[in-house]
Amino acid sequence: MIQDTRAINSDRSDIETLDEIWLFGYGSLIYKVDFPYLESKPAYLCGWSRRFWQGSHDHRGTPDKPGRVLTLIEEPSERCFGIAYRVTADVFDHLDHREKNGYLRLIKELEFEDVTRKPGVTYIGMPNNPAFLGPASDIDIAKQIHISEGPSGTNREYVELLAEALKAHNVKDPQVDAIHVLLQKLDSRRDA
Ligand code: SIN
């Protein structure tokens, strides 16, 4: 189900308390950077892990046939690689619109490669949001992604661009890699 979180996110005033605003991207915000920023660097969100558990009814799927995109789930023993962008507060109108389907704009602690820590703003589809699809087997996730497409393009492209971007940073993510390989297998089965 679709949920438009723009009103909730734009009411949040907590970014005003930050002396620097660091936006953390762990999915499409790694490779589709359609907003201005002052600097960027790799970062980690400790205690969180990315999963293809969020429904995409607006970008990589449709209301009738949602795709699957990333959200973060709490996983105390893990940390999630991403890119942190130092931004100004005016980017959030655009980002709240882009990430409006169930994502809440939350402040979590980021760790940079030099081990310094700073608060970071990140979009998370929490398990109680109506667009949350939750866990499924890798093959079921890959099958759903394989057939999904929306206004921003195919769901397969979302995974491919992410896999390329993670590879460029020498980051291995077991679920992204597994789904990427399964998508290639599904492609070759279709082409056979
Ligand atoms: C993100 O990239 O940080 C949020 C999820 C997405 O837009 O793919």
Side-chain angles (χ1 to χ4, degrees):
M1 226 167 54
I2 297 174
Q3 185 197 19
D4 188 335
T5 49
R6 273 178 298 181
I8 304 173
N9 285 331
S10 68
D11 269 357
R12 294 178 61 91
S13 54
D14 47 6
I15 54 170
E16 287 160 19
T17 63
L18 303 173
D19 48 343
E20 284 180 351
I21 308 176
W22 286 93
L23 165 73
F24 178 76
Y26 56 91
S28 68
L29 289 173
I30 294 182
Y31 62 78
K32 185 177 174 195
V33 187
D34 59 356
F35 52 89
Y37 61 94
L38 305 164
E39 61 177 309
S40 71
K41 50 187 178 175
Y44 295 89
L45 212 60
C46 297
W48 294 82
S49 185
R50 89 189 105 224
R51 294 282 186 278
F52 291 99
W53 290 4
Q54 180 72 3
S56 181
H57 307 74
D58 54 346
H59 283 297
R60 301 287 179 168
T62 60
D64 291 343
K65 281 179 123 188
R68 273 186 180 257
V69 290
L70 291 168
T71 184
L72 294 173
I73 54 145
E74 280 193 272
E75 202 61 79
S77 60
E78 293 195 26
R79 61 181 197 159
C80 180
F81 169 88
I83 301 292
Y85 305 89
R86 189 159 65 82
V87 295
T88 51
D90 49 359
V91 297
F92 289 105
D93 272 355
H94 166 65
L95 292 173
D96 286 352
H97 183 270
R98 175 172 157 176
E99 305 294 327
K100 68 182 186 310
N101 190 27
Y103 290 95
L104 291 181
R105 177 172 15 112
L106 301 173
I107 298 184
K108 301 283 172 198
E109 194 174 52
L110 295 184
E111 187 174 288
F112 294 105
E113 289 191 323
D114 63 4
V115 203
T116 55
R117 290 181 171 231
K118 291 236 161 108
V121 183
T122 192
Y123 287 89
I124 303 182
M126 299 301 280
N128 60 355
N129 87 85
F132 188 79
L133 298 178
S137 66
D138 284 353
I139 187 64
D140 284 346
I141 290 177
K143 281 181 179 164
Q144 185 172 352
I145 289 174
H146 196 243
I147 55 162
S148 298
E149 183 166 5
S152 299
T154 64
N155 205 173
R156 214 167 66 223
E157 183 195 46
Y158 178 96
V159 178
E160 284 161 2
L161 293 175
L162 178 73
E164 274 169 30
L166 293 179
K167 196 170 167 208
H169 287 279
N170 287 319
V171 172
K172 288 203 181 309
D173 181 306
Q175 201 201 16
V176 175
D177 293 344
I179 302 292
H180 190 216
V181 167
L182 285 167
L183 286 170
Q184 286 164 340
K185 285 192 182 146
L186 289 168
D187 271 347
S188 60
R189 228 185 270 171
R190 189 194 50 195
D191 296 340

